[in-house]
Amino acid sequence: MLVSELMAHPPVCAAPDLSVPDAAHLLRQHGIRRLPVVDGGALVGIVTDRDLRETLPGRVTTLSMWEATTQLAGIRVSDVMRRSVITTTPDADARDVARTLLERRIGGMPVVGERGEVVGMVTVTDLLRDYAGQTPARPQEQTA
């Protein structure tokens, strides 16, 4: 089976200058955990829900809600994204991708087309869904 048969497309991507709160909202809105970061059509990084959570202030802080919100609005995705991104292609074998995900201990990777553009995302969930023979749930059917 090919990655193109499993990947989620079109991908939800973020610009490097997107604020951390806006990126977190984008993840929640689409029910996803990873955002490829694209600048001028080229993949420049990836940011995960964990990266964003680690950026947020803890529950015990001396900052007021207004101060915390103001500071967070100034932090951009480019400040917290991972620049070294493991990618795959639409014509890659799904087993090879599964092996890479296991070996690298990552939950997903961007799928990059011939011209270097991000054309999709493939995740462990996509592989498990295929293995279980289930169709993907539409976003409005997903529960939090």
Side-chain angles (χ1 to χ4, degrees):
M1 176 166 288
L2 299 178
V3 169
S4 61
E5 299 172 56
L6 297 175
M7 68 183 191
H9 61 87
V12 178
C13 296
D17 62 347
L18 187 68
S19 72
V20 164
D22 288 343
H25 176 73
L26 202 55
L27 289 172
R28 281 191 308 276
Q29 179 183 6
H30 292 280
I32 57 177
R33 289 181 267 184
R34 290 158 205 83
L35 279 174
V37 182
V38 177
D39 189 16
L43 180 68
V44 294
I46 192 165
V47 67
T48 66
D49 59 345
R50 176 181 276 175
D51 299 327
L52 298 178
R53 276 195 318 268
E54 289 174 356
T55 304
L56 301 174
R59 293 189 188 273
V60 180
T61 181
T62 59
L63 297 175
S64 71
M65 183 61 83
W66 181 84
E67 290 170 320
T69 303
T70 302
Q71 284 187 356
L72 276 177
I75 301 173
R76 302 289 162 213
V77 167
S78 60
D79 299 326
V80 298
M81 71 182 187
R82 298 167 194 260
R83 296 180 193 294
S84 177
V85 184
I86 299 167
T87 63
T88 188
T89 60
D91 59 349
D93 186 281
R95 286 184 183 162
D96 293 336
V97 168
R99 190 173 300 108
T100 300
L101 293 174
L102 281 170
E103 289 171 357
R104 298 297 187 108
R105 297 183 61 147
I106 56 176
M109 64 177 79
V111 181
V112 179
E114 293 176 9
R115 294 182 298 275
E117 76 282 10
V118 179
V119 296
M121 279 293 293
V122 63
T123 66
V124 170
T125 302
D126 297 323
L127 294 164
L128 288 172
R129 187 178 290 121
D130 177 67
Y131 183 77
Q134 294 182 356
T135 57
R138 285 181 257 142
Q140 60 269 26
E141 295 176 351
Q142 295 175 346
T143 59

